Amino acid sequence: MPIYEYRCEACGKTTSALIMKREEEREVTCRHCGGRRLGRVLSRCVVHKSEAGRVQEFDARKPRGDDYYRDDRNVGLWTRKRMKELGVDLGGRLDEIVEKAHEGKFLDDL
């Protein structure tokens, strides 16, 4: 069940449509202006990475800007990568610590 994207020749905007049967493609109209003259466009694709894949690709030595550290998921990623580089294996304990940091409860135990 592919989702195709189409560019409307009338308004120039992109519309996506789920096409179950080939014949349904003729019935697609622009969601913005209702136009019927559409041309199929190449859609962007996204590849989801596992947490292990993200850790493996992450360079902990690369300097980061303030925006990077505002996303608490990145702090956990940095921590996991550095622990791996240092040969420290906290097992499930590290995940527990990172999760508490995400929830803002990290300092509760200190």
Side-chain angles (χ1 to χ4, degrees), residues 40-94:
R40 195 184 302 173
V41 296
L42 186 60
S43 303
R44 289 187 286 164
C45 64
V46 177
V47 177
H48 294 279
K49 295 180 185 175
S50 67
E51 183 72 13
R54 290 181 65 218
V55 169
Q56 184 177 0
E57 291 179 3
F58 184 74
D59 182 2
R61 292 167 294 207
K62 180 179 174 185
R64 309 287 176 191
D66 290 340
D67 289 344
Y68 178 82
Y69 292 106
R70 286 191 184 113
D71 185 345
D72 59 1
R73 294 172 299 172
N74 294 332
V75 174
L77 179 64
W78 182 89
T79 303
R80 285 183 179 92
K81 182 66 174 193
R82 287 299 291 150
M83 291 294 187
K84 187 175 182 178
E85 288 174 353
L86 295 171
V88 177
D89 183 13
L90 297 178
R93 179 77 178 122
L94 178 60

